Each structure stands twice: as C-alpha cells, then as structure tokens.
Amino acid sequence: MEKQNLDWGSLGFGYVKTDKRYVANFKNGAWDNGALIDDATVTISECAGVLQYAQTCFEGLKAYTTEQGKIVTFRPDLNAERLATSCEGLEMPVLPKEMFLEAVKQVVKANASWVPPYGSGATLYLRPYMFGSSSVIGVKPAEEYQFRLFGTPVGPYFKGGAKPITVRISDRDRAAPHGTGNIKAGLNYAMSLHNIQDAHKEGYAENIYLDPETHTYIEETGGANILFVSKDGKKLITPKSDSILPSITRRSLVDVAKNYLNMEVEERRINKNELKDFSECGLCGTAAVISPIGKIVDHGTEICIPSGMEKFGPVLQKLYDTLTGIQMGRIEAPEGWIMEIC
Ligand code: PLP
Ligand code: COI
C-alpha cells in the first residue's frame, strides 16, 4: 500500500481529513450495524441534544506502525470501557465493546495509507465520539445518538516535542467537586478553553488544575495527567483524585514503572507545597505521550524542576522509551496491550 505524500516529520497536532470514517446510529433503543462512510460532515437537527445541552463525549487513541511494519493500536479495550463510563455519566447509550473495537479496526485498515511510517515520529490519532443527535428542548437526554470514529495523522501535541514546557497553577477549575472530571465529556473541555487561551497569552503551555474542593492538591492539566519523580529517582508519584480522568497512558506507565523499571509507585494526593521536592515532572496522555515540565509557576513563584529546561530527566526518559518501545514493537508488551490490525 502506497503511503500518502505527507511530510510526516513536520506534522503538528492537527486535523487532516482522511479517507473513511465509521458511523453508527442509535434509534428506537438499538444500535444499527455501523459502516464506513466517505462524508466527513455531520448533518443533525438544529435542536440536537449535543447542540443545546452539550450531550457528547469522546475518546482518543493512536495507531502505530511498528518496527516489524505492522499497524497496531494500544489498549483500545480500555478506551471502549472509558467511553462506556462517560456515556453512563451523560445518560447516553453504551456502545458495545465489540462494536468499538470493530470501528477501530475498520477505520485504521481503510486509512492505512495515512498511518505514519515507523520512525517518522508521527502516529494516526483516532477520535471516537458520540453525541445526542435528536431534538430536545426541555433539559433531558436525547432519544437518538450517533457514534463516529475518524483518524488524523499527528505529530507532537506540544510544539518543540520533547523540549520541557512551562505551566502555571490555575485559579480556575476544570471540574466541579463530585462532577464530571472523571469522564471524557466534551463539556469539560469547553470550559477549559478560555483558561487555556489565557495561559497561552501569559506564555504558559498549559494549566495545572488543583482539586476543586480545597484548591490544595495537584490534579491534572486540561488534556493530560501528571507524573512526578522523587528526589532520589526511585519513585514515581502520581495524583489520585476522583475528579481527574483515569488516563490509560498513566495507568500503563504505573505498570511499566513497577514491572519493567523496578520502581516504586505512589498514587496519592499530592499537596501543591510538595512541588519543590521532586526531581522530574511531566504530563502524560495519548496526545501528550510524556511531555516533560521544566518549570511550574504558582502565582509568581517559580518552581524550577531540577531536570531543567533542556531535555527529559533520566527517569521520565526511561519511562518514555519503554512505553513507546512497547507501542512500536521494540519491547515485548504485556499480554493484551497491543491489538494488531494489519
Ligand atoms: N486527562 C485529560 C483531561 C485528558 O483529556 C486526557 C486525554 O485523553 C488524559 C488525561 C490522558 O488520558 P489517556 O492517557 O487515556 O489519553
Ligand atoms: C488525548 O490525549 O487523546 C486527548 O483527548 C487530549 C486532548 C486534549 C487532545
């Protein structure tokens, strides 16, 4: 199969229209069979639940070309499970896991020419999403829904790739206490848009949110969980909270740290006063992979992370190399982590 004529190495994190996308509709209490289509546009009622009351949720995962030349995805079953949790939280119908996995396989196979080659530094980002498509005017769930999944080739989420970023501690919240922070609801992202634009204007790559109840503990950023490394380099520490998204990358890195790197792992509440006690810090997520943080600014106080502003610290580098090694077929994966597509 001929690859598309793209400059894979200079791709940023953006939307490029690919050939086929998967669509399934939920009507009269049941999902149809779902199919690949060409049309990249969506036509719905002006009064659709998604347009009036933001009834929508999404997922994000990637397809990789391995060293062996296969196209694979990473733990798509966990995306299917998290989408189901998001749907339950928004009173949307759950898409059966088998259908989700089938959509992933069909879209990747049909767009194989868009999957960046091994070694290019780029991947095919997959965006599954669901929305209320039928009309609602009183505040209630829609009766009809559409699930879609498309792919777009992407490079690094943050400009500069592996260069450490500067982030700020945010005064605003992304999630309410006991709210929707733990699901991937579109509304969580809509309410972060003003704050991320403001952060960019002030020269920060991202906002670190604190727990919305007491503004004391570190939660996550608008699009990634957070990792810390202890001063002695032996321990991976990551925030535990009911209002953060259970990142599949973070859960995988916890396993990698324990089982591949023999590290100790602590998942616990992290007080913002502890930031000065860590040797390395980074963001993790499907889009972000691991992005090192060099500096955190807390209302004028600069916390310079000892690993510095030039490159990854040694522990996050090892975690990054092991995770991407597993994803790209260079390192043996734990059972069930890799779904081979073609
Ligand atoms: N936290 C938020 C708010 C996110 O949007 C994402 C992205 O999906 C993550 C964390 C990372 O999750 P994952 O590793 O499953 O992509
Ligand atoms: C992902 O990492 O898949 C996300 O959904 C994050 C988003 C901010 C791009």
Side-chain angles (χ1 to χ4, degrees):
M1 166 262 322
E2 267 297 285
K3 288 283 175 192
Q4 298 290 326
N5 184 22
L6 286 185
D7 183 4
W8 305 104
S10 58
L11 284 173
F13 195 86
Y15 174 71
V16 175
K17 192 176 131 199
T18 49
D19 297 334
K20 303 273 181 190
R21 65 276 306 124
Y22 181 94
V23 181
N25 287 294
F26 182 88
K27 201 173 172 171
N28 299 326
W31 288 102
D32 66 13
N33 289 332
L36 288 179
I37 62 162
D38 292 326
D39 191 357
T41 59
V42 179
T43 305
I44 44 173
S45 160
E46 63 185 355
C47 203
V50 58
L51 298 178
Q52 301 310 322
Y53 303 120
Q55 199 186 15
T56 181
C57 56
F58 70 100
E59 273 302 319
L61 68 161
K62 283 174 170 172
Y64 308 84
T65 305
T66 66
E67 192 176 38
Q68 300 77 22
K70 300 272 181 211
I71 298 179
V72 304
T73 54
F74 182 71
R75 310 190 79 179
D77 52 319
L78 298 189
N79 293 98
E81 287 168 17
R82 194 171 61 189
L83 182 70
T85 309
S86 299
C87 288
E88 282 161 2
L90 295 170
E91 288 296 327
M92 299 167 77
V94 166
L95 186 83
K97 190 188 266 191
E98 312 73 61
M99 212 164 155
F100 182 96
L101 296 176
E102 190 53 33
V104 169
K105 282 182 202 155
Q106 287 189 23
V107 169
V108 172
K109 234 187 211 165
N111 295 294
S113 67
W114 294 95
V115 181
Y118 176 75
S120 65
T123 51
L124 186 74
Y125 183 71
L126 301 172
R127 173 52 62 86
Y129 60 112
M130 195 193 294
F131 53 88
S133 53
S134 61
S135 315
V136 283
I137 194 71
V139 178
K140 63 175 185 192
E143 290 187 346
E144 295 174 12
Y145 294 85
Q146 189 164 104
F147 168 79
R148 284 187 169 238
L149 194 156
F150 65 82
T152 177
V154 296
Y157 190 67
F158 293 103
K159 268 192 237 116
K163 202 92 173 132
I165 55 174
T166 299
V167 300
R168 71 173 182 190
I169 301 279
S170 171
D171 283 331
R172 297 192 179 91
D173 298 318
R174 70 174 277 282
H178 320 292
T180 55
N182 62 335
I183 61 172
K184 217 161 159 55
L187 60 93
N188 294 341
Y189 299 81
M191 63 183 287
S192 76
L193 296 177
H194 176 67
N195 204 25
I196 189 71
Q197 289 304 92
D198 189 58
H200 289 165
K201 244 186 272 162
E202 302 281 320
Y204 303 104
E206 255 294 2
N207 291 298
I208 289 189
Y209 291 97
L210 299 176
D211 74 287
E213 197 140 31
T214 69
H215 287 178
T216 307
Y217 302 99
I218 302 293
E219 294 248 298
E220 63 173 333
T221 64
N225 280 181
I226 307 185
L227 306 167
F228 297 100
V229 177
S230 60
K231 270 266 151 66
D232 63 7
K234 292 191 174 144
K235 216 185 277 173
L236 179 70
I237 304 145
T238 183
K240 192 179 168 81
S241 159
D242 292 338
S243 45
I244 65 175
L245 192 78
S247 157
I248 293 163
T249 314
R250 185 247 305 160
R251 287 182 271 160
S252 304
L253 286 168
V254 162
D255 281 7
V256 165
K258 284 181 189 162
N259 302 326
Y260 285 68
L261 304 180
N262 278 321
M263 289 180 69
E264 228 180 286
V265 178
E266 275 180 8
E267 296 179 77
R268 62 167 172 86
R269 292 210 293 189
I270 298 171
N271 193 297
K272 78 184 182 94
N273 296 331
E274 292 181 63
L275 289 175
K276 58 184 185 330
D277 302 333
F278 300 118
S279 59
E280 298 177 43
C281 174
L283 301 183
C284 71
T286 299
V289 194
I290 300 179
S291 301
I293 292 175
K295 196 192 286 180
I296 303 174
V297 180
D298 182 6
H299 300 89
T301 303
E302 290 194 350
I303 300 140
C304 295
I305 308 296
S307 51
M309 292 304 294
E310 285 310 310
K311 54 179 174 49
F312 266 98
V315 176
L316 290 189
Q317 182 73 60
K318 252 189 267 171
L319 280 167
Y320 177 91
D321 291 345
T322 312
L323 178 72
T324 53
I326 290 170
Q327 291 165 335
M328 312 276 179
R330 294 186 296 268
I331 295 175
E332 191 170 346
E335 180 77 29
W337 278 23
I338 298 296
M339 182 171 87
E340 189 178 310
I341 294 183
C342 52

PDB file of all heavy atoms in Angstrom, residues 35-54:
ATOM      1  N   ALA A  35     -21.138   1.446   9.804  1.00  0.00           N
ATOM      2  CA  ALA A  35     -20.481   1.275   8.498  1.00  0.00           C
ATOM      3  C   ALA A  35     -19.451   2.364   8.288  1.00  0.00           C
ATOM      4  O   ALA A  35     -19.493   3.415   8.947  1.00  0.00           O
ATOM      5  CB  ALA A  35     -21.530   1.360   7.390  1.00  0.00           C
ATOM      6  N   LEU A  36     -18.530   2.114   7.369  1.00  0.00           N
ATOM      7  CA  LEU A  36     -17.566   3.136   6.958  1.00  0.00           C
ATOM      8  C   LEU A  36     -18.236   4.037   5.932  1.00  0.00           C
ATOM      9  O   LEU A  36     -18.970   3.550   5.069  1.00  0.00           O
ATOM     10  CB  LEU A  36     -16.344   2.485   6.303  1.00  0.00           C
ATOM     11  CG  LEU A  36     -15.384   1.744   7.213  1.00  0.00           C
ATOM     12  CD1 LEU A  36     -14.256   1.150   6.377  1.00  0.00           C
ATOM     13  CD2 LEU A  36     -14.804   2.659   8.300  1.00  0.00           C
ATOM     14  N   ILE A  37     -17.991   5.345   6.024  1.00  0.00           N
ATOM     15  CA  ILE A  37     -18.534   6.269   5.018  1.00  0.00           C
ATOM     16  C   ILE A  37     -17.439   7.238   4.566  1.00  0.00           C
ATOM     17  O   ILE A  37     -16.402   7.374   5.220  1.00  0.00           O
ATOM     18  CB  ILE A  37     -19.754   7.061   5.555  1.00  0.00           C
ATOM     19  CG1 ILE A  37     -19.364   7.930   6.749  1.00  0.00           C
ATOM     20  CG2 ILE A  37     -20.914   6.135   5.918  1.00  0.00           C
ATOM     21  CD1 ILE A  37     -20.367   9.025   7.037  1.00  0.00           C
ATOM     22  N   ASP A  38     -17.739   7.933   3.466  1.00  0.00           N
ATOM     23  CA  ASP A  38     -16.789   8.911   2.927  1.00  0.00           C
ATOM     24  C   ASP A  38     -17.016  10.315   3.482  1.00  0.00           C
ATOM     25  O   ASP A  38     -16.083  11.101   3.590  1.00  0.00           O
ATOM     26  CB  ASP A  38     -16.939   9.010   1.394  1.00  0.00           C
ATOM     27  CG  ASP A  38     -16.488   7.727   0.715  1.00  0.00           C
ATOM     28  OD1 ASP A  38     -15.541   7.101   1.237  1.00  0.00           O
ATOM     29  OD2 ASP A  38     -17.095   7.363  -0.313  1.00  0.00           O
ATOM     30  N   ASP A  39     -18.277  10.634   3.798  1.00  0.00           N
ATOM     31  CA  ASP A  39     -18.658  12.008   4.133  1.00  0.00           C
ATOM     32  C   ASP A  39     -18.120  12.415   5.518  1.00  0.00           C
ATOM     33  O   ASP A  39     -18.489  11.836   6.539  1.00  0.00           O
ATOM     34  CB  ASP A  39     -20.193  12.116   4.107  1.00  0.00           C
ATOM     35  CG  ASP A  39     -20.663  13.567   4.180  1.00  0.00           C
ATOM     36  OD1 ASP A  39     -19.803  14.475   4.306  1.00  0.00           O
ATOM     37  OD2 ASP A  39     -21.884  13.785   4.128  1.00  0.00           O
ATOM     38  N   ALA A  40     -17.280  13.448   5.519  1.00  0.00           N
ATOM     39  CA  ALA A  40     -16.674  13.903   6.779  1.00  0.00           C
ATOM     40  C   ALA A  40     -17.528  14.957   7.483  1.00  0.00           C
ATOM     41  O   ALA A  40     -17.121  15.504   8.505  1.00  0.00           O
ATOM     42  CB  ALA A  40     -15.285  14.458   6.500  1.00  0.00           C
ATOM     43  N   THR A  41     -18.711  15.241   6.940  1.00  0.00           N
ATOM     44  CA  THR A  41     -19.567  16.233   7.597  1.00  0.00           C
ATOM     45  C   THR A  41     -20.703  15.524   8.333  1.00  0.00           C
ATOM     46  O   THR A  41     -21.050  14.388   8.027  1.00  0.00           O
ATOM     47  CB  THR A  41     -20.164  17.231   6.576  1.00  0.00           C
ATOM     48  OG1 THR A  41     -20.929  16.499   5.622  1.00  0.00           O
ATOM     49  CG2 THR A  41     -19.082  18.015   5.882  1.00  0.00           C
ATOM     50  N   VAL A  42     -21.290  16.252   9.296  1.00  0.00           N
ATOM     51  CA  VAL A  42     -22.392  15.706  10.099  1.00  0.00           C
ATOM     52  C   VAL A  42     -23.599  16.609   9.892  1.00  0.00           C
ATOM     53  O   VAL A  42     -23.473  17.832  10.011  1.00  0.00           O
ATOM     54  CB  VAL A  42     -22.025  15.714  11.605  1.00  0.00           C
ATOM     55  CG1 VAL A  42     -23.169  15.178  12.452  1.00  0.00           C
ATOM     56  CG2 VAL A  42     -20.749  14.927  11.863  1.00  0.00           C
ATOM     57  N   THR A  43     -24.762  16.024   9.597  1.00  0.00           N
ATOM     58  CA  THR A  43     -25.985  16.826   9.478  1.00  0.00           C
ATOM     59  C   THR A  43     -26.948  16.386  10.578  1.00  0.00           C
ATOM     60  O   THR A  43     -27.293  15.201  10.658  1.00  0.00           O
ATOM     61  CB  THR A  43     -26.645  16.604   8.094  1.00  0.00           C
ATOM     62  OG1 THR A  43     -25.669  16.897   7.103  1.00  0.00           O
ATOM     63  CG2 THR A  43     -27.852  17.504   7.909  1.00  0.00           C
ATOM     64  N   ILE A  44     -27.332  17.334  11.431  1.00  0.00           N
ATOM     65  CA  ILE A  44     -28.258  16.997  12.525  1.00  0.00           C
ATOM     66  C   ILE A  44     -29.259  18.134  12.726  1.00  0.00           C
ATOM     67  O   ILE A  44     -29.063  19.245  12.215  1.00  0.00           O
ATOM     68  CB  ILE A  44     -27.522  16.746  13.876  1.00  0.00           C
ATOM     69  CG1 ILE A  44     -26.440  17.801  14.119  1.00  0.00           C
ATOM     70  CG2 ILE A  44     -26.999  15.339  13.991  1.00  0.00           C
ATOM     71  CD1 ILE A  44     -25.807  17.717  15.483  1.00  0.00           C
ATOM     72  N   SER A  45     -30.291  17.861  13.514  1.00  0.00           N
ATOM     73  CA  SER A  45     -31.316  18.843  13.850  1.00  0.00           C
ATOM     74  C   SER A  45     -30.685  20.076  14.510  1.00  0.00           C
ATOM     75  O   SER A  45     -29.728  19.949  15.284  1.00  0.00           O
ATOM     76  CB  SER A  45     -32.297  18.212  14.838  1.00  0.00           C
ATOM     77  OG  SER A  45     -33.002  19.214  15.535  1.00  0.00           O
ATOM     78  N   GLU A  46     -31.269  21.240  14.227  1.00  0.00           N
ATOM     79  CA  GLU A  46     -30.797  22.459  14.902  1.00  0.00           C
ATOM     80  C   GLU A  46     -31.005  22.374  16.409  1.00  0.00           C
ATOM     81  O   GLU A  46     -30.427  23.122  17.180  1.00  0.00           O
ATOM     82  CB  GLU A  46     -31.546  23.682  14.354  1.00  0.00           C
ATOM     83  CG  GLU A  46     -33.057  23.639  14.619  1.00  0.00           C
ATOM     84  CD  GLU A  46     -33.796  24.795  13.956  1.00  0.00           C
ATOM     85  OE1 GLU A  46     -33.147  25.675  13.385  1.00  0.00           O
ATOM     86  OE2 GLU A  46     -35.030  24.797  14.013  1.00  0.00           O
ATOM     87  N   CYS A  47     -31.864  21.432  16.825  1.00  0.00           N
ATOM     88  CA  CYS A  47     -32.212  21.317  18.246  1.00  0.00           C
ATOM     89  C   CYS A  47     -31.609  20.053  18.874  1.00  0.00           C
ATOM     90  O   CYS A  47     -32.045  19.590  19.926  1.00  0.00           O
ATOM     91  CB  CYS A  47     -33.742  21.314  18.359  1.00  0.00           C
ATOM     92  SG  CYS A  47     -34.317  21.841  19.958  1.00  0.00           S
ATOM     93  N   ALA A  48     -30.580  19.484  18.213  1.00  0.00           N
ATOM     94  CA  ALA A  48     -29.975  18.235  18.706  1.00  0.00           C
ATOM     95  C   ALA A  48     -29.441  18.412  20.135  1.00  0.00           C
ATOM     96  O   ALA A  48     -28.937  19.486  20.491  1.00  0.00           O
ATOM     97  CB  ALA A  48     -28.840  17.833  17.770  1.00  0.00           C
ATOM     98  N   GLY A  49     -29.518  17.338  20.911  1.00  0.00           N
ATOM     99  CA  GLY A  49     -29.054  17.363  22.312  1.00  0.00           C
ATOM    100  C   GLY A  49     -27.627  17.863  22.449  1.00  0.00           C
ATOM    101  O   GLY A  49     -27.291  18.589  23.382  1.00  0.00           O
ATOM    102  N   VAL A  50     -26.785  17.500  21.480  1.00  0.00           N
ATOM    103  CA  VAL A  50     -25.384  17.936  21.566  1.00  0.00           C
ATOM    104  C   VAL A  50     -25.270  19.449  21.397  1.00  0.00           C
ATOM    105  O   VAL A  50     -24.438  20.091  22.047  1.00  0.00           O
ATOM    106  CB  VAL A  50     -24.500  17.196  20.531  1.00  0.00           C
ATOM    107  CG1 VAL A  50     -24.982  17.412  19.090  1.00  0.00           C
ATOM    108  CG2 VAL A  50     -23.048  17.640  20.653  1.00  0.00           C
ATOM    109  N   LEU A  51     -26.127  20.019  20.551  1.00  0.00           N
ATOM    110  CA  LEU A  51     -26.012  21.466  20.282  1.00  0.00           C
ATOM    111  C   LEU A  51     -26.630  22.288  21.402  1.00  0.00           C
ATOM    112  O   LEU A  51     -26.160  23.382  21.720  1.00  0.00           O
ATOM    113  CB  LEU A  51     -26.692  21.810  18.952  1.00  0.00           C
ATOM    114  CG  LEU A  51     -26.091  21.129  17.720  1.00  0.00           C
ATOM    115  CD1 LEU A  51     -26.862  21.508  16.471  1.00  0.00           C
ATOM    116  CD2 LEU A  51     -24.617  21.494  17.564  1.00  0.00           C
ATOM    117  N   GLN A  52     -27.697  21.770  22.014  1.00  0.00           N
ATOM    118  CA  GLN A  52     -28.378  22.548  23.056  1.00  0.00           C
ATOM    119  C   GLN A  52     -27.764  22.333  24.433  1.00  0.00           C
ATOM    120  O   GLN A  52     -27.550  23.280  25.175  1.00  0.00           O
ATOM    121  CB  GLN A  52     -29.875  22.195  23.072  1.00  0.00           C
ATOM    122  CG  GLN A  52     -30.556  22.475  21.740  1.00  0.00           C
ATOM    123  CD  GLN A  52     -30.272  23.883  21.228  1.00  0.00           C
ATOM    124  OE1 GLN A  52     -30.206  24.837  21.996  1.00  0.00           O
ATOM    125  NE2 GLN A  52     -30.082  24.025  19.931  1.00  0.00           N
ATOM    126  N   TYR A  53     -27.503  21.070  24.786  1.00  0.00           N
ATOM    127  CA  TYR A  53     -27.063  20.793  26.164  1.00  0.00           C
ATOM    128  C   TYR A  53     -25.741  20.023  26.244  1.00  0.00           C
ATOM    129  O   TYR A  53     -25.472  19.374  27.248  1.00  0.00           O
ATOM    130  CB  TYR A  53     -28.192  20.082  26.921  1.00  0.00           C
ATOM    131  CG  TYR A  53     -29.464  20.923  26.914  1.00  0.00           C
ATOM    132  CD1 TYR A  53     -30.650  20.442  26.360  1.00  0.00           C
ATOM    133  CD2 TYR A  53     -29.457  22.231  27.403  1.00  0.00           C
ATOM    134  CE1 TYR A  53     -31.796  21.235  26.316  1.00  0.00           C
ATOM    135  CE2 TYR A  53     -30.597  23.026  27.352  1.00  0.00           C
ATOM    136  CZ  TYR A  53     -31.747  22.537  26.809  1.00  0.00           C
ATOM    137  OH  TYR A  53     -32.864  23.328  26.749  1.00  0.00           O
ATOM    138  N   ALA A  54     -24.951  20.113  25.168  1.00  0.00           N
ATOM    139  CA  ALA A  54     -23.583  19.561  25.180  1.00  0.00           C
ATOM    140  C   ALA A  54     -23.544  18.077  25.539  1.00  0.00           C
ATOM    141  O   ALA A  54     -22.631  17.632  26.242  1.00  0.00           O
ATOM    142  CB  ALA A  54     -22.689  20.374  26.131  1.00  0.00           C
TER     143      ALA A  54
END
